Amino acid sequence: MSHFLYLVRHGEQQDAEYGLPDGPLSERGKRQARALAERLGGVPFTAAWHSPLERASETARIMTERMPALESQPSTLLMDCIPSGPTPDMPHSFQPFFGSVTPAEIEAGEAQMADAIDEWMTPARGDRHDLLITHNFVIAWFVRETFGAAPWRWMGVNQANCGLTIIRVRSSKPSVLITHNDLGHLPVELRTGLPIEQPY
């Protein structure tokens, strides 16, 4: 029995460079979503969920329009969040990130991600292929969980817009990261959202 999670970061947001908290996809973001839907068209998905935020909801709508057998459901467990706070073993260079983050935001993020892991990082009784359309930090936390890494290690794990990460959840063995931030479906001009320019 195999349980596969297909984790997708939403497409590029319109006017994202202005720091808006949420909004519709840019034209490039829509193209990213369409390209990813074509890439995943042959996957026998069991179910799909997306963050209720507009940029993720629109990504889900565009993708499922091209995958008629699939309907995506909103889930607050996939909302953008801060998955954990600073810890004593965290490198000091990460400390500035938390300057404007409140303890309440950290507490809410920790609770959300604990529930998200309980919801999806569990072995299935039969073969499952689940699509999760969400946000950068959420995917980073799933990757961290796969490796059983220290809580702060989600920081510095980044996904491009409509990048694809696949995790296989197993019952008697640890989970496996099959691919991370796969951009093979996106031409170079559609590869956006990473903190540094890609060397290709």
Side-chain angles (χ1 to χ4, degrees):
M1 304 299 180
S2 298
H3 184 194
F4 293 94
L5 298 179
Y6 298 74
L7 295 149
V8 170
R9 186 183 178 193
H10 59 81
E12 180 186 69
Q13 181 182 328
Q14 183 177 318
D15 297 326
E17 67 270 21
Y18 298 115
L20 299 177
D22 193 25
L25 297 184
S26 66
E27 287 305 313
R28 186 159 55 179
K30 294 174 185 177
R31 290 175 60 199
Q32 292 165 341
R34 289 192 289 266
L36 182 54
E38 292 178 15
R39 165 80 178 273
L40 297 177
V43 177
F45 283 113
T46 309
W49 292 269
H50 62 271
S51 160
L53 293 177
E54 185 177 3
R55 57 193 186 273
S57 296
E58 187 175 0
T59 302
R61 180 182 56 77
I62 291 171
M63 290 183 67
T64 54
E65 281 175 355
R66 286 157 178 77
M67 307 163 83
L70 191 64
E71 182 178 345
S72 185
Q73 303 294 327
S75 173
T76 56
L77 297 182
L78 297 176
M79 289 279 286
D80 203 4
C81 70
I82 305 296
S84 73
T87 56
D89 61 330
M90 184 186 77
H92 184 72
S93 58
F94 286 124
Q95 192 67 42
F97 172 85
F98 293 100
S100 60
V101 178
T102 67
E105 288 175 314
I106 293 170
E107 184 178 354
E110 289 174 340
Q112 175 188 319
M113 292 316 303
D115 288 346
I117 294 301
D118 286 344
E119 179 72 20
W120 286 294
M121 289 283 285
T122 53
R125 292 180 180 169
D127 288 346
R128 286 191 64 89
H129 296 263
D130 291 334
L131 175 63
L132 308 181
I133 300 168
T134 182
H135 304 274
N136 191 25
F137 293 167
V138 173
I139 298 171
W141 187 260
F142 273 88
V143 172
R144 183 220 60 81
E145 180 73 17
T146 298
F147 289 121
W152 63 269
R153 290 307 301 259
W154 65 272
M155 304 183 73
V157 178
N158 291 290
Q159 286 70 221
N161 295 118
C162 284
L164 175 63
T165 293
I166 304 174
I167 294 170
R168 181 183 179 191
V169 182
R170 303 186 293 180
S171 56
S172 58
K173 296 179 181 179
S175 298
V176 175
L177 181 66
I178 294 176
T179 187
H180 174 252
N181 196 39
D182 185 344
L183 305 180
H185 49 285
L186 298 177
V188 173
E189 67 271 14
L190 292 185
R191 298 179 182 183
T192 63
L194 290 172
I196 56 172
E197 291 294 324
Q198 292 300 289
Y200 50 80

